[in-house]
Amino acid sequence: MRLHVLGSGAGGGFPQWNCNCPNCDGLRRGTIKARARTQSSITVSGDNENWVLFNASPDILTQFQHFPELQPARALRDTAVKAIVLIDGQIDHTTGLYMLREHRQPHQIWSTAPVRQDLTEGNPLFKLLGHYCGIEWNELGIDDTEFTIAGAPGLKFRAHALRSNAPPYSPRRDKPVPGDNVGVTIEDAKSGKKIYYAPGLVEIEPQVWAAMQAADVVLVDGTCWSDDEMIALGASKKRSRDMGHLAQSGPGGMIEWLDKLPTTTRKILIHINNTNPILNEDSPQRRELDAHGIEVSYDGMDITL
């Protein structure tokens, strides 16, 4: 099983186009040690030939260009992407579907029912695609039932609901329901190796913790370092938790939870906001992560199990 990180940043990417926080300004000026990041998306394959795309970010075209495996060039119009799994309905995870409208057949899309509702009514992306390639929707269960995806041999999947928040455009914003956000376990059918993926996560509930403990690699929410990060910078009036993200630092934070995992578990943060000081590779926050054996994902990161 191979997982490739197409994009590791949160909404807006890094640097964000209109942001002059110390990170964004420092990256532009070359005064900090950091690397640019596009918006969060991964792709996974069980045979290094057929791929499942997780989320379609606004940066999807650039991400495809940087990962040529997704364009095998076997025909005039071709792609190695067999299906698209949407973790949620957030703008930074779905806008890329507009860029994939030239497909020659309907996209095979997996999402929960609440996400389908949001992308049909609140943000009618699915309706728009109906005027181009169309979609074939598959319901993503939220009870950890094992399933497979047609065209993606060698992989098994399980998904469960988790606490985060519905998109800002959703009528359920700040009133989330089960299925607005999911975590997914991806398993290599031959080796039994597992990756747990949850880029939006505000609470480590029992089903989340069980999946994290069972995984060989956890790829989880790394949006903010501290709960008041955006407020302290004057970038927002909302805490990280209000936006549906568990901060890394502080009591009950992501670091504390990741420390409880077995030493053999590979621990990686993804969906990193442009304000997060861990983006500065020389920051004390980054050194703290290093001390805890926690990695920070980057665009192009490749994981083989």
Side-chain angles (χ1 to χ4, degrees):
M1 175 169 60
R2 183 181 175 196
L3 181 151
H4 188 84
V5 176
L6 296 170
S8 54
F14 175 59
Q16 183 172 301
W17 68 278
N18 65 342
C19 184
N20 292 295
C21 70
N23 283 340
C24 292
D25 185 62
L27 181 66
R28 291 192 190 99
R29 295 176 182 271
T31 57
I32 65 171
K33 183 181 179 182
R35 63 176 83 190
R37 285 170 164 82
T38 58
Q39 294 167 85
S40 174
S41 178
I42 65 169
T43 189
V44 183
S45 177
D47 61 1
N48 213 37
E49 182 177 346
N50 301 285
W51 294 81
V52 176
L53 178 66
F54 282 77
N55 302 323
S57 92
D59 304 310
I60 194 72
L61 299 185
T62 297
Q63 293 169 347
F64 273 43
Q65 290 165 8
H66 290 165
F67 190 55
E69 282 90 334
L70 298 182
Q71 177 47 270
R74 299 163 297 194
L76 179 63
R77 297 291 178 93
D78 196 16
T79 179
V81 174
K82 299 301 180 181
I84 302 169
V85 177
L86 301 177
I87 294 292
D88 53 44
Q90 299 287 348
I91 292 291
D92 59 321
H93 285 159
T94 59
T95 307
L97 290 172
Y98 289 118
M99 303 298 104
L100 304 181
R101 65 190 181 280
E102 300 93 349
H103 203 31
R104 300 191 71 174
Q105 57 270 343
H107 282 296
Q108 300 295 317
I109 293 182
W110 291 75
S111 80
T112 64
V115 169
R116 183 191 191 190
Q117 181 182 19
D118 277 344
L119 295 178
T120 303
E121 299 173 5
N123 175 22
L125 191 157
F126 284 176
K127 289 183 178 179
L128 182 142
L129 287 177
H131 294 286
Y132 295 92
C133 58
I135 68 167
E136 290 185 4
W137 180 72
N138 303 270
E139 184 166 9
L140 191 64
I142 56 174
D143 59 357
D144 273 320
T145 298
E146 182 179 293
F147 66 96
T148 57
I149 292 177
L155 297 176
K156 298 189 292 186
F157 306 86
R158 297 175 184 270
H160 55 236
L162 48 77
R163 284 198 61 219
S164 187
N165 204 344
Y169 67 82
S170 172
R172 297 183 305 281
R173 181 67 170 181
D174 299 326
K175 298 175 290 184
V177 299
D180 278 326
N181 298 268
V182 298
V184 178
T185 294
I186 310 159
E187 180 178 353
D188 185 305
K190 291 183 179 178
S191 68
K193 297 285 188 179
K194 298 181 180 71
I195 297 172
Y196 180 66
Y197 176 57
L201 183 60
V202 76
E203 182 178 334
I204 309 298
E205 300 172 277
Q207 74 276 16
V208 174
W209 183 233
M212 290 172 67
Q213 289 178 295
D216 300 278
V217 177
V218 293
L219 193 60
V220 291
D221 194 333
T223 306
C224 292
W225 175 258
S226 58
D227 196 42
D228 65 348
E229 178 176 300
M230 302 281 281
I231 297 173
L233 283 170
S236 173
K237 296 180 180 179
K238 292 187 176 182
R239 294 183 175 274
S240 177
R241 184 173 294 274
D242 297 332
M243 297 182 288
H245 301 287
L246 179 64
Q248 281 111 62
S249 63
M254 189 65 79
I255 293 174
E256 186 175 290
W257 281 101
L258 293 177
D259 276 348
K260 299 176 185 179
L261 290 172
T263 56
T264 53
T265 305
R266 189 172 177 185
K267 301 166 286 188
I268 308 171
L269 300 176
I270 196 168
H271 195 271
I272 303 150
N273 199 56
N274 64 86
T275 57
N276 194 327
I278 65 174
L279 290 171
N280 182 343
E281 296 174 21
D282 290 330
S283 66
Q285 293 86 353
R286 188 63 171 264
R287 289 194 293 272
E288 184 172 347
L289 289 184
D290 291 342
H292 288 268
I294 299 170
E295 300 175 61
V296 179
S297 67
Y298 54 87
D299 292 21
M301 187 181 207
D302 213 74
I303 301 167
T304 301
L305 288 178

